[in-house]
Amino acid sequence: MNALTLPATQHDLDLERPLAARGLHLGYGRREVLRGVDLDIPQGEVLGLIGRNGAGKSSLIGCLLGLLRPQAGQALVFGGPALRMDDARKARLGYVPQQPQAFGWMKVGQLFQYLGQLYPGWDPAHATALLRRWEIDPGRTIGRLSPGEAQRLALARALAPRPALLVLDEPASALDPVARRELLRELVGQAMDTGTTVLFSSHIVSDLERVASRVAFLHQGRLLLDRALDEVKDETVRLPLPAAAAARLPAALPGELARRTLPGGAVSLVVAGRAGWQELLLVEGVRTDRLGLEDLFVEVAG
Ligand SMILES: Nc1ncnc2c1ncn2[C@@H]1O[C@H](COP(=O)(O)OP(=O)(O)OP(=O)(O)O)[C@@H](O)[C@H]1O
């Protein structure tokens, strides 16, 4: 299969979306990493993409931005094919890879001057303010920055042109807690002030909880629970089922995310949404446990 001979159904892709994908499949050799990922990120959303180490978050971002060619499926950026991104769309996109590097020999100020000529939307005052706020001296040589400083520089570089779409791969992994808070505040501020759409990947659930308006779990090659954070918190529950009730469970329930059999035949079930499982509450001994996002992550991906 190949993305050119087997395009996803274009008609159901919303051309207004900053980012959209249908049926993305990607493997490295025989290892399948993405197994049919569909995604829509509406304008102005801050989507937190969460998943365990090696779940495929960077690979998915690579496909979404046209940096990796999927074996099947299609990704669109601002309505156009990600694999053939023109300059106009590139100029509206800010991307921070997981390990930002390059231009190590340059001074920070030199790089920013160069980028200012390259990006039509570059805002020099905003760029200077970001460097000042994140305490990066423009006179520093980029190659001598610490990993955390390099990450802050990469973020300042991505934010300075005030992109319409900001994609951040583990943006806070090398940052200390103060810098992480700063960054998250910046993200929310930018999203709210200018309607910037943000996709960021993380395995730090508390970061995601702080800023994301939407959340998606990448697990075993598929996206689970791609919905508003409030909805996920309100409508995802754990149901501890006694053995007698567990024995009568169908093979899969609507909205079922995880099922764990406990010693003695009892089952711990995690379900999303309100339909398909309410009758289980009629069984004696069955109750619902609210799950925080961290517990949910552990239940689903653990
Ligand atoms: N170029 C490659 N060749 C072979 N395997 C790869 C390649 N890139 C990634 N992989 C494998 O694909 C899987 C997904 O990797 P990816 O980096 O996308 O995951 P991730 O969710 O971003 O991980 P992390 O949270 O650790 O950064 C991993 O098992 C990784 O080893």
Side-chain angles (χ1 to χ4, degrees):
M1 282 194 296
N2 136 344
L4 295 176
T5 56
L6 222 183
T9 44
Q10 183 111 28
H11 64 272
D12 67 348
L13 284 171
D14 182 343
L15 296 183
E16 296 304 312
R17 306 249 173 208
L19 264 185
R22 288 292 177 276
L24 291 179
H25 282 259
L26 180 80
Y28 300 103
R30 301 177 72 171
R31 179 167 160 62
E32 260 193 306
V33 174
L34 305 178
R35 302 179 191 187
V37 171
D38 295 332
L39 184 73
D40 282 296
I41 309 186
Q43 204 247 313
E45 291 270 12
V46 178
L47 177 80
L49 175 65
I50 198 162
R52 293 192 69 172
N53 290 128
K57 300 179 294 297
S58 300
S59 303
L60 174 57
I61 287 174
C63 289
L64 289 172
L65 299 184
L67 305 169
L68 290 174
R69 180 179 289 273
Q71 274 93 38
Q74 188 182 32
L76 296 185
V77 180
F78 299 119
L83 284 167
R84 291 188 302 281
M85 191 111 68
D86 51 47
D87 288 346
R89 284 185 292 140
K90 275 185 196 156
R92 299 172 66 198
L93 168 69
Y95 168 52
V96 180
Q98 195 167 15
Q99 271 139 2
Q101 43 186 238
F103 306 108
W105 48 273
M106 261 187 171
K107 304 258 191 239
V108 170
Q110 284 176 321
L111 174 68
F112 271 40
Q113 240 176 355
Y114 167 68
L115 294 173
Q117 289 155 13
L118 212 63
Y119 282 91
W122 188 268
D123 179 342
H126 189 39
T128 306
L130 286 164
L131 289 182
R132 194 169 301 134
R133 200 169 329 146
W134 288 341
E135 295 171 352
I136 304 167
D137 184 339
R140 300 273 310 271
T141 303
I142 292 171
R144 301 220 181 102
L145 296 173
S146 74
E149 288 169 334
Q151 204 165 33
R152 289 196 320 247
L153 174 66
L155 290 162
R157 196 182 140 178
L159 287 168
R162 298 194 181 275
L165 170 63
L166 190 56
V167 178
L168 310 164
D169 193 354
E170 299 274 1
S173 59
L175 300 184
D176 65 59
V178 177
R180 283 223 324 264
R181 288 261 171 128
E182 273 283 310
L183 159 73
L184 298 177
R185 239 197 320 257
E186 195 73 44
L187 283 183
V188 178
Q190 180 130 354
M192 284 173 68
D193 292 350
T194 60
T196 304
T197 306
V198 182
L199 165 64
F200 78 102
S201 72
S202 184
H203 46 248
I204 305 174
V205 179
S206 56
D207 284 353
L208 196 137
E209 244 171 334
R210 219 166 258 139
V211 292
S213 56
R214 210 176 163 79
V215 58
F217 281 71
L218 184 60
H219 183 58
Q220 297 180 337
R222 296 201 171 85
L223 275 190
L224 305 177
L225 267 180
D226 174 10
R227 58 176 80 177
L229 182 60
D230 290 345
E231 248 176 73
V232 171
K233 285 182 175 170
D234 288 350
E235 297 185 9
T236 309
V237 293
R238 179 169 48 206
L239 296 162
L241 300 177
R248 296 202 304 271
L249 267 182
L253 282 173
E256 178 174 328
L257 294 172
R259 182 184 292 212
R260 210 157 28 94
T261 304
L262 306 171
V267 159
S268 172
L269 204 61
V270 178
V271 287
R274 295 183 196 277
W277 53 268
Q278 298 282 344
E279 55 276 20
L280 290 171
L281 294 176
L282 302 173
V283 180
E284 198 182 333
V286 175
R287 60 175 199 280
T288 55
D289 289 342
R290 288 271 160 150
L291 286 173
L293 205 55
E294 178 112 22
D295 288 336
L296 179 58
F297 180 46
V298 173
E299 286 279 357
V300 171

